Amino acid sequence: MPKQFNGWHMTAILVCFFGVIVIVNFTMASYATRTFGGTVVDNSYVASQRYNDWLAAAREQDSLQWSETVGRDGTGVRIELEAPDGMLEGAIVTAIAEHPLGRSEPITLAFGEREPGIYHSREPLADGRWVLRIEIESGADRKRLLADLS
């Protein structure tokens, strides 16, 4: 004689079904809170007020016609800069290296010019993926850029 399907069976099915959903939700929420490092901007209203200024600065930066190549070498980070008329010889180059997900504190990198237009970081940078916020100053001209370094 087959067993009867009763209320206890249905209760067990519902408890298992919703138990799996709750466990998955808590797992995903814990991963999300452990890997996200914070906000993109602290105050979006203030950032929106400065948006036009940022666009003007970007247009001015593009008019400089500087180009850069960012990569790794055996000792750290290597940045090759090119500009018309050698404008970037003796430039001041700094960068802040951050993990994309904020897993560690940002690292400030200073660069020295080894050859005209070729800059190397003075500090080594650990392997892994990094986002570099680079600032290049040459006289009154300034360029800021983001570079993804894998």
Side-chain angles (χ1 to χ4, degrees), residues 72-77 114 120-125:
R72 288 185 182 267
D73 66 1
T75 59
V77 179
R114 291 200 182 158
H120 289 262
S121 64
R122 293 187 180 113
E123 302 82 10
L125 188 61

Side-chain angles (χ1 to χ4, degrees), residues 12-60:
I13 290 171
L14 286 174
V15 167
C16 289
F17 175 77
F18 286 109
V20 168
I21 291 174
V22 168
I23 289 170
V24 168
N25 283 339
F26 277 112
T27 301
M28 298 303 266
S30 69
Y31 284 147
T33 57
R34 279 192 232 145
T35 58
F36 181 62
T39 59
V40 175
V41 293
D42 291 329
N43 186 330
S44 59
Y45 177 74
V46 172
S48 72
Q49 300 302 306
R50 298 183 58 203
Y51 183 72
N52 288 332
D53 296 334
W54 292 339
L55 286 178
R59 281 192 291 275
E60 181 181 323

